[in-house]
Amino acid sequence: DVKVTQSSRYLVKRTGEKVFLECVQDMDHENMFWYRQDPGLGLRLIYFSYDVKMKEKGDIPEGYSVSREKKERFSLILESASTNQTSMYLCASGPRGHRQPQHFGDGTRLSIL
Amino acid sequence: QKEVEQNSGPLSVPEGAIASLNCTYSDRGSQSFFWYRQYSGKSPELIMSIYSNGDKEDGRFTAQLNKASQYVSLLIRDSQPSDSATYLCAPGYGANSKLTFGKGITLSVRP
């Protein structure tokens, strides 16, 4: 079974802090993704990576950056957290190829106070 | 902007009935289509994938795809209370398995 592990289930941070969300997958997948999910807005892609050190902006990259130094690990960074970044963050991974599904981690519920 | 529309919900059906969940998409280049189920407070889990026009059956689930009409649906036969969840339609695009997610439809199965 595919295992995508997110470092925290719940996280509370303060406005202006730099926040790191970590994601690790154990299936040697080339592609990794970060989404946020908000009521009424659905799942929105923040960033994705198709190889080590490669990244591409998704639909809502403002205020976020990412890092992929190793194939199995993909980090999302909130440079200076703001209250409008309070959300559920979901990491996913998938093999290369257009017929491949994505597999999700359990999610991190992040609250910015 | 790629758009995915799922029929308005929530949808409520009695136990044992057929639940029909519909989805239309705007990107004619989409070649793969996925249905995810998401229980409240949990992350999405893959339940069906379909790539060719027609029907694909897996247990109580049937996915239907019509690329000419840009339409994909999910039928759940003999609905059970455990099927109560939000169902997300996700067409894929590009070479890197990117997905565009619909906002989901919430299904409630009444005992």
Side-chain angles (χ1 to χ4, degrees):
Chain A
D1 272 359
V2 177
K3 185 69 175 174
V4 180
T5 303
Q6 294 185 230
S7 52
S8 305
R9 287 284 284 131
Y10 300 94
L11 205 54
V12 180
K13 296 292 182 180
R14 297 219 172 265
T15 303
E17 280 192 70
K18 191 169 187 176
V19 181
F20 294 85
L21 302 183
E22 307 286 345
C23 177
V24 177
Q25 50 96 2
D26 67 356
M27 286 302 292
D28 202 36
H29 287 162
E30 290 81 9
N31 299 326
M32 296 188 75
F33 307 83
W34 274 107
Y35 296 89
R36 62 178 284 177
Q37 187 174 33
D38 301 286
L41 297 177
L43 273 163
R44 293 180 292 168
L45 181 64
I46 304 171
Y47 266 99
F48 81 100
S49 169
Y50 50 91
D51 205 345
V52 175
K53 298 190 187 296
M54 305 304 287
K55 61 185 179 185
E56 200 168 302
K57 292 180 180 178
D59 299 318
I60 52 163
E62 296 78 20
Y64 303 94
S65 63
V66 290
S67 173
R68 194 165 180 202
E69 296 297 318
K70 293 185 177 181
K71 190 174 186 179
E72 67 271 18
R73 186 179 297 269
F74 191 34
S75 303
L76 180 70
I77 304 154
L78 285 66
E79 297 292 343
S80 177
S82 64
T83 55
N84 63 11
Q85 292 178 309
T86 291
S87 187
M88 170 68 87
Y89 289 87
L90 289 158
C91 176
S93 75
R96 184 167 292 147
H98 69 276
R99 288 192 167 199
Q100 303 300 329
Q102 295 177 20
H103 302 273
F104 285 85
D106 288 339
T108 296
R109 185 161 294 283
L110 175 64
S111 296
I112 307 296
L113 305 180
Chain B
Q1 183 79 357
K2 298 173 176 57
E3 294 185 357
V4 179
E5 298 286 338
Q6 296 190 239
N7 53 329
S8 58
L11 179 66
S12 180
V13 301
E15 186 173 354
I18 296 175
S20 176
L21 312 175
N22 304 317
C23 174
T24 58
Y25 59 95
S26 65
D27 183 11
R28 286 194 171 275
S30 294
Q31 294 295 318
S32 53
F33 303 85
F34 305 96
W35 282 97
Y36 286 81
R37 177 177 62 199
Q38 187 173 24
Y39 292 115
S40 181
K42 302 292 187 181
S43 61
E45 60 176 318
L46 179 71
I47 55 171
M48 286 288 286
S49 59
I50 187 166
Y51 312 109
S52 304
N53 283 330
D55 295 358
K56 178 183 177 183
E57 188 174 315
D58 184 0
R60 294 186 297 111
F61 298 98
T62 299
Q64 299 174 318
L65 175 62
N66 183 326
K67 291 183 181 178
S69 301
Q70 296 173 252
Y71 175 90
V72 58
S73 66
L74 181 69
L75 300 179
I76 306 174
R77 290 183 303 281
D78 188 24
S79 295
Q80 301 297 308
S82 59
D83 295 324
S84 297
T86 296
Y87 290 81
L88 305 173
C89 168
Y93 64 98
N96 287 311
S97 62
K98 286 201 289 188
L99 302 178
T100 300
F101 286 86
K103 292 182 181 177
I105 181 165
T106 299
L107 172 67
S108 174
V109 180
R110 309 186 301 271

